[in-house]
Amino acid sequence: DEYNIQYKLGQSSEVILSLTDVKLNELKQLSKEEKEKGSYSFMLNSKLLSNGMYFIQLTTNNQTITKQIIIDN
């Protein structure tokens, strides 16, 4: 299965997408890029993960957003 992670930037920024465990320890940096203002998506292949709860962290120049995902392959 794949998870489609969608986000929108109101201004240009460096964007870091990370996968973390429940204690917010980074397991993998999924993406680190400079992005222009606009809408984006990133596909996460969940087949590479064990079943359980994870978090996706989106970090930009001025904020960090954390969202929970549950993998049940």
Side-chain angles (χ1 to χ4, degrees), residues 3-14:
Y3 282 89
N4 186 14
I5 302 162
Q6 298 179 343
Y7 60 96
K8 186 175 184 177
L9 298 175
Q11 62 187 29
S12 297
S13 177
E14 179 180 55

Side-chain angles (χ1 to χ4, degrees), residues 11 17 29 56 59 64 71:
Q11 62 187 29
L17 272 175
Q29 189 174 89
I56 299 293
T59 304
T64 299
I71 304 298

Side-chain angles (χ1 to χ4, degrees), residues 15-55:
V15 175
I16 302 170
L17 272 175
S18 301
L19 178 71
T20 70
D21 63 15
V22 293
K23 295 181 180 178
L24 298 181
N25 297 312
E26 185 177 286
L27 301 174
K28 182 170 180 64
Q29 189 174 89
L30 303 172
S31 175
K32 182 178 180 180
E33 301 179 78
E34 284 289 330
K35 298 281 191 179
E36 297 295 322
K37 177 180 175 179
S39 297
Y40 297 91
S41 65
F42 180 88
M43 296 302 289
L44 173 65
N45 184 350
S46 66
K47 291 181 182 181
L48 304 175
L49 301 171
S50 300
N51 289 347
M53 184 168 51
Y54 297 89
F55 291 91

